[in-house]
Amino acid sequence: MKRLVAFALIAVIALGGFFGTANAQMGGKTIAEIVVESASGATPEFTTLLAAVQAADESVLAALSNPEAQLTVFAPTDAAFAALKEALGEEGFNAVLADKEQLTQILLYHVVGSVVKSADVVAALEANEGAFSVRTLQGQFIDVVQSEEGIFIDDAKLMLDMVDIEASNGVIHVIDAVILPETRTLAEIVVDAASAEEGAEFTTLLAAVQAADEAVLAALSNPEAKLTVFAPTDAAFDALKQALGEEAFNGVLANKEALTNILLYHVLDGIVGSDDVAKLLEENNGEVQVTMLNGSMATVKLMDGAIMIDNAKIIVTDIDAANGIIHVIDAVIVPGE
């Protein structure tokens, strides 16, 4: 799961700096030109990355070639693509290369729309207890995590001897695996989390969705939807049960109309990431009203350094889905309270 990103960090995550050890100065060459040059060099690298860029939508090459752009590319090595080929099988790998839309989404998931030097990564990790997330050009967020084994971009290790390769329009950091955007729907993520053998979560949320009007499950399952879900933990539902009493709590679960209204109060139309929330709060003096899917207004505000929605604290942000995003909250929010 994603870690909660501090409000102050979200507001300044444009980032910029220098790590020191492995900075390849490439002068006035764009990111695209560096990839081409490396792929055709005496000891070629990025040959599969170049082939993928050429096979994807032309917007990818245009972005990497744009001299006015300011980008960060997490570039998989040829060995990284070879490992993906082995994992998928040759037929499956070739199918990805042949699917222009899917390939474009994967490549854009490796690109951040600002210059993020390795020094900034280290600073952000130190400021956020070893983990933070940042939005990619594909739209979803990547996790950056510090562990004993090194710094990871999702499941790919940042190769510290190949960071800060400077281009005229950004910077390249080399990673040892191809990272893939989330393809599961919101509903599938909730089901998978609830059925996990260890550390299961959202079990009560799933039961509530199944007991509510089928329109709730249909919305969360719709691959064409663009939704933001504020998902209460099992502990949040337990707290509500304790507050209401078991009989009253079971009465809510049995009342399909009331339950549906409560669940839709946890859903916002449109994808609103933590960076969007930070911008909204900054533009509205730390408090903003948002219309939830049931039609009621909820209040999002910054309080004591935490981002709240009504009486619930957002404790985990930016869990991506193919049709939206999930923010985990520590309480069940109820319209009208």
Side-chain angles (χ1 to χ4, degrees):
M1 281 189 176
K2 308 279 183 176
R3 297 288 301 275
L4 177 61
V5 181
F7 173 78
L9 175 65
I10 302 170
V12 300
I13 205 163
L15 306 175
F18 176 66
F19 189 62
T21 57
N23 179 25
Q25 300 286 348
M26 299 304 293
K29 295 172 183 166
T30 65
I31 292 170
E33 289 170 334
I34 292 173
V35 170
V36 170
E37 183 175 281
S38 179
S40 57
T43 54
E45 189 57 89
F46 303 147
T47 57
T48 312
L49 175 60
L50 176 59
V53 169
Q54 292 171 332
D57 187 272
E58 60 184 15
S59 61
V60 177
L61 181 58
L64 302 184
S65 302
N66 180 5
E68 303 302 320
Q70 290 294 297
L71 305 173
T72 298
V73 174
F74 295 98
T77 60
D78 287 338
F81 278 102
L84 180 63
K85 184 176 182 178
E86 184 175 352
L88 296 178
E90 186 167 359
E91 184 177 349
F93 182 77
N94 291 337
V96 172
L97 292 181
D99 187 333
K100 181 175 286 191
E101 174 59 26
Q102 182 183 10
L103 183 60
T104 299
Q105 293 297 307
I106 292 172
L107 290 174
L108 292 177
Y109 188 64
H110 289 76
V111 186
V112 173
S114 59
V115 176
V116 184
K117 298 287 187 69
S118 54
D120 306 304
V121 172
V122 172
L125 289 169
E126 290 176 351
N128 289 273
E129 300 181 354
F132 69 96
S133 60
V134 62
R135 191 189 292 271
T136 67
L137 289 190
Q138 184 264 349
Q140 294 185 15
F141 287 76
I142 51 174
D143 286 328
V144 183
V145 179
Q146 174 85 61
S147 75
E148 292 181 357
E149 290 76 31
I151 297 174
F152 286 82
I153 312 300
D154 283 356
D155 295 325
K157 189 174 183 179
L158 189 64
M159 301 177 69
L160 293 181
D161 58 340
M162 300 178 73
V163 297
D164 294 328
I165 301 172
E166 292 190 359
S168 61
N169 61 346
V171 66
I172 300 171
H173 304 306
V174 181
I175 54 178
D176 71 352
V178 179
I179 56 177
L180 302 173
E182 181 60 71
T183 58
R184 294 174 298 170
T185 65
L186 294 160
E188 289 169 334
I189 289 174
V190 170
V191 169
D192 287 349
S195 57
E197 291 185 6
E198 294 183 10
E201 188 57 271
F202 302 147
T203 58
T204 311
L205 175 60
L206 176 60
V209 169
Q210 292 171 331
D213 189 281
E214 61 184 15
V216 177
L217 181 58
L220 301 183
S221 302
N222 180 5
E224 303 303 319
K226 299 295 181 185
L227 302 173
T228 299
V229 174
F230 296 91
T233 61
D234 287 337
F237 277 103
D238 288 342
L240 179 63
K241 183 177 181 178
Q242 185 174 358
L244 294 178
E246 186 169 1
E247 183 176 351
F249 181 78
N250 291 337
V252 172
L253 291 181
N255 186 331
K256 182 175 287 191
E257 183 177 351
L259 182 59
T260 299
N261 188 48
I262 292 172
L263 289 176
L264 292 179
Y265 189 63
H266 289 76
V267 185
L268 182 65
D269 191 18
I271 298 177
V272 182
S274 57
D275 52 350
D276 299 315
V277 173
K279 185 177 180 181
L280 283 170
L281 291 174
E282 185 179 11
E283 292 174 347
N284 292 276
N285 298 316
E287 183 171 319
V288 63
Q289 298 280 314
V290 292
T291 304
M292 308 308 283
L293 216 56
N294 74 329
S296 299
M297 302 290 289
T299 301
V300 178
K301 60 186 175 182
L302 186 65
M303 188 171 70
D304 297 328
I307 299 175
M308 310 286 293
I309 179 164
D310 286 353
N311 62 315
K313 181 189 293 185
I314 301 176
I315 56 175
V316 179
T317 63
D318 303 325
I319 301 175
D320 290 306
N323 61 344
I325 198 166
I326 299 172
H327 304 305
V328 183
I329 56 177
D330 69 352
V332 179
I333 55 177
V334 179
E337 289 192 353

